Amino acid sequence: MAREAEIHADIPFGPEDTPWQKTFSGVRVLGGRPYGTPPSSDPRAAYLDVPEVPHHKVQLPPTGLDAEQYTEAESLFRRHIDARTRDFAGYQVTSDLDYERRLGHYLNRHLNNVGDPYQSSSYTLNSKVLERAVLDYFASLWHAKWPHDPRDPESYWGYVLTMGSSEGNLYGLWNARDYLSGKPLRAHRREPGGDGVERAPRGEGPNAFHPVAFFSEDTHYSLTKAVRALGIDTFHDLGSTRYPDENPLAPGTPWPRKVPSTEDGAIDVDRLAVLVRFFAARGYPVLVSLNYGSTFKGAYDDVEAVARTVRGICAEYGLDNRRLHHDDEDGDHDDRSGFWLHVDGALGAGYTPYLEMARDAGLVEQVPPVFDFRLSDLHSLTMSGHKWMGTPWACGVFMTRTGLQMAPPGASEYIGAADTTFAGSRNGFSSLLMWDHLAHNSYDDQARTAAECDALAAHTHRRLLALQEELGRDLWVARSPQALTVRFRRPNPDIVRRYSLACETVRVDGVARTYVHLYAMRHLTRQRVDELIDELRRPGAFAPPTATPAGDGARAAGPAAPAADPVTG
């Protein structure tokens, strides 16, 4: 072991390829031995290669980097990121950012929005005053009742997320699980009984508080993670274990893992209805998560049609409105529905309100279906701030109605407020960035931008169709209605990596097809799209890959994930 450690200590490390054990300054060597363990193998061989940023140039020796080494390493990384930003076309994020000049001052300040956005806190280094302004803005945009009023169950409640919509999905499903499981809501929270035990609700039937989740095969993979983390059964889980031979879509065959989608990527409402009816008839509460701008195809689920369908089915089986009794002695109860509709609007919830404004101004002709709090049966909604708006890190907004809010833990004396959010410490910079963006971009500005992006997606679609005809080869070009993304046959790995094109394999008529897609976000120009088309026109652009592409694009361009689990973030 000693000999092995000695060998590992000689592994080259850092910008100068110095043996690891010699990277320590004298003050850090105690008893003749460096502090910490040596590498067990050469990290440069262990990790994905990024040719533009050699790993040893950014390794961190215990002495740190001197000025020359730091300048070289940071310059390599800067050139790499700037080049990737210029060509970034395959994911639904906006890279046209302009925060540094106005907000650089705050990078030397600490901002932490720990706790409920609407409660003051002893942690005074926060941006909650801006967060509340941002939340009110989106409450109005999404037709919720505002401002937030803890005494009004119809007013909105929400918070700015530290992660993106993945956190909003997790929180929304958590809220849904507690609501459908009969746990006390914030508006009805009471102290536990005299024995210290929180009373279980009483309902009808053995499945009355066993929610079952439904989401489509085009749903973002974060939903699968969320139901696993929260212990929520999906219809596939329950169907496969309790009713293995009773798949109502095809009796005697295995249950589908997710609700089937249409060819365009929207949830198949008719098939969803068949599945929901099967479980509602057996007394299970229903949890449906919908997509508003699906990850790969950019499809918009018809939220209004789903809400109408789910409510109608639940009404047949007494799940449209339930009275939950919490205490045998004094008759404590509350009324709530036996279903929950959540919308993952990561991109669409931030984009389509402005597209509606563009339609009303005559700038576009069509918009996707209504998705927001104009629908009385919508329970929760989430959006990512880094997608349509554009921020340098992931963030977002979660929103529900105050009367649906789950009961939080007791107020923390340490922070001086109740923590009703998921994250605990929350990034106060996100509220600052979103506030800054909204302060500098009016409704008119954003409506024009939405119309321009819609036109760019249409332009891209037309150019790819024309290329397909020119080449005399089926490039599988497709655009879902009003989507900002256009999908087509995967080109060679060099093109995939240069433009950061996300890949997904889809079975069409029993044959696997690997697609890529391009997103028409506001940083992308027609010139850049036309340059891509010119590259796709060249011989070999669509030749089958002969090797795994190098660098950090390898995972995106390599074997694609199944259609049921889109790999975009």
Side-chain angles (χ1 to χ4, degrees):
M1 290 295 293
R3 174 60 180 162
E4 183 180 351
E6 182 179 337
I7 293 173
H8 292 161
D10 287 334
I11 290 175
F13 191 88
E16 308 302 329
D17 281 340
T18 306
W20 181 83
Q21 64 180 349
K22 295 182 180 179
T23 62
F24 288 79
S25 62
V27 74
R28 292 183 175 85
V29 177
L30 304 176
R33 290 181 175 275
Y35 187 84
T37 57
S40 60
S41 62
D42 189 342
R44 292 171 297 184
Y47 302 134
L48 288 173
D49 178 40
V50 181
E52 298 87 350
V53 188
H55 185 63
H56 72 287
K57 291 294 186 181
V58 296
Q59 284 182 315
L60 295 168
T63 53
L65 303 179
D66 63 29
E68 183 178 344
Q69 292 168 341
Y70 177 87
T71 298
E72 180 185 12
E74 192 274 331
S75 296
L76 288 169
F77 182 70
R78 181 182 298 210
R79 286 196 296 270
H80 167 61
I81 291 300
D82 287 350
R84 295 278 75 77
T85 298
R86 183 180 64 251
D87 298 332
F88 199 78
Y91 291 83
Q92 61 274 52
V93 297
T94 296
S95 298
D96 179 21
L97 309 181
D98 181 29
Y99 294 109
E100 182 178 4
R101 175 175 52 85
R102 295 188 299 269
L103 303 182
H105 166 82
Y106 294 97
L107 290 176
N108 290 321
R109 299 293 182 271
H110 189 88
L111 294 175
N112 188 332
N113 285 11
V114 63
D116 189 279
Y118 308 97
Q119 296 184 14
S120 60
S121 168
S122 53
Y123 198 100
T124 57
L125 289 174
N126 67 67
S127 64
K128 288 185 180 182
V129 63
L130 305 182
E131 180 178 15
R132 291 188 287 271
V134 168
L135 293 168
D136 278 355
Y137 178 99
F138 281 106
S140 176
L141 194 71
W142 294 335
H143 299 90
K145 186 177 182 180
W146 65 286
H148 166 69
D149 181 350
R151 299 161 299 181
D152 183 354
E154 291 302 314
S155 70
Y156 87 91
W157 178 86
Y159 74 98
V160 169
L161 306 163
T162 290
M163 296 157 50
S165 284
S166 294
E167 179 186 342
N169 290 334
L170 183 59
Y171 193 91
L173 267 61
W174 181 17
N175 202 152
R177 184 197 67 182
D178 281 11
Y179 178 89
L180 297 174
S181 298
K183 294 187 178 181
L185 305 178
R186 189 174 192 184
H188 303 100
R189 183 64 182 260
R190 300 183 55 174
E191 294 301 318
D195 53 4
V197 177
E198 190 173 84
R199 302 300 184 192
R202 290 183 291 111
E204 296 183 5
N207 304 320
F209 302 111
H210 189 158
V212 55
F214 303 81
F215 45 88
S216 83
E217 59 192 10
D218 280 83
T219 295
H220 189 257
Y221 68 85
S222 66
L223 263 292
T224 300
K225 291 169 61 177
V227 295
R228 287 180 183 173
L230 294 166
I232 299 172
D233 283 326
T234 67
F235 75 88
H236 171 266
D237 297 331
L238 282 177
S240 299
T241 55
R242 295 191 178 184
Y243 314 101
D245 300 319
E246 300 180 52
N247 171 13
L249 296 178
T253 66
W255 285 77
R257 290 193 172 275
K258 298 175 183 177
V259 180
S261 299
T262 65
E263 184 178 351
D264 283 328
I267 197 167
D268 188 319
V269 180
D270 292 337
R271 291 183 177 182
L272 171 66
V274 172
L275 293 166
V276 167
R277 183 179 298 280
F278 180 92
F279 288 94
R282 290 157 177 79
Y284 291 95
V286 173
L287 194 175
V288 180
S289 181
L290 300 171
N291 302 314
Y292 203 69
S294 63
T295 306
F296 198 80
K297 297 178 181 178
Y300 302 96
D301 289 344
D302 191 338
V303 181
E304 185 171 14
V306 170
R308 184 171 58 248
T309 299
V310 171
R311 170 170 280 282
I313 292 171
C314 287
E316 293 180 35
Y317 300 102
L319 292 173
D320 56 328
N321 187 59
R322 305 192 294 172
R323 173 156 292 186
L324 273 59
H325 297 272
H326 299 285
D327 195 304
D328 291 329
E329 295 180 0
D330 62 8
D332 180 39
H333 68 271
D334 68 88
D335 296 325
R336 61 182 81 171
S337 68
F339 65 94
W340 184 286
L341 298 184
H342 171 76
V343 170
D344 177 2
L347 173 61
Y351 159 66
T352 58
Y354 306 116
L355 195 66
E356 283 194 42
M357 298 177 200
R359 178 203 58 190
D360 294 344
L363 300 177
V364 300
E365 294 183 359
Q366 306 218 340
V367 297
V370 171
F371 72 97
D372 58 21
F373 290 98
R374 283 172 285 188
L375 304 175
S376 60
D377 285 327
L378 175 70
H379 293 79
S380 57
L381 168 64
T382 189
M383 178 212 73
S384 290
H386 54 288
K387 295 191 174 177
W388 174 252
M389 292 173 60
T391 56
W393 48 71
C395 62
V397 170
F398 171 81
M399 194 166 288
T400 185
R401 292 182 173 88
T402 297
L404 303 175
Q405 192 182 357
M406 60 182 169
S412 169
E413 183 179 5
Y414 182 70
I415 63 171
D419 189 356
T420 52
T421 69
F422 178 77
S425 286
R426 293 186 295 117
N427 187 347
F429 287 91
S430 297
S431 294
L432 171 62
L433 290 167
M434 297 171 78
W435 175 84
D436 179 88
H437 174 84
L438 297 172
H440 287 92
N441 292 275
S442 68
Y443 275 9
D444 288 350
D445 296 333
Q446 304 228 48
R448 282 191 290 268
T449 301
E452 290 166 2
C453 289
D454 179 68
L456 179 59
H459 170 78
T460 304
H461 189 216
R462 289 193 301 270
R463 289 298 313 273
L464 283 166
L465 288 173
L467 177 65
Q468 178 173 267
E469 184 174 352
E470 176 187 332
L471 297 179
R473 182 179 183 183
D474 189 358
L475 301 182
W476 312 330
V477 178
R479 181 192 179 201
S480 299
Q482 291 87 52
L484 286 179
T485 182
V486 182
R487 57 193 184 274
F488 55 97
R489 181 192 291 263
R490 181 174 69 177
N492 69 49
D494 288 339
I495 295 175
V496 169
R497 184 174 190 275
R498 183 176 305 118
Y499 291 93
S500 300
L501 301 177
C503 303
E504 182 176 308
T505 297
V506 179
R507 298 195 73 82
V508 179
D509 297 328
V511 178
R513 291 180 173 183
T514 301
Y515 288 84
V516 296
H517 67 180
L518 175 150
Y519 261 96
M521 306 302 285
R522 72 170 186 265
H523 66 273
L524 197 64
T525 63
R526 291 197 176 205
Q527 178 183 348
R528 207 76 189 113
V529 169
D530 293 344
E531 289 172 357
L532 170 60
I533 300 295
D534 288 341
E535 289 194 51
L536 296 175
R537 181 178 288 112
R538 296 172 187 167
F542 289 99
T546 57
T548 300
D552 56 353
R555 290 180 177 174
D565 289 310
V567 295
T568 55

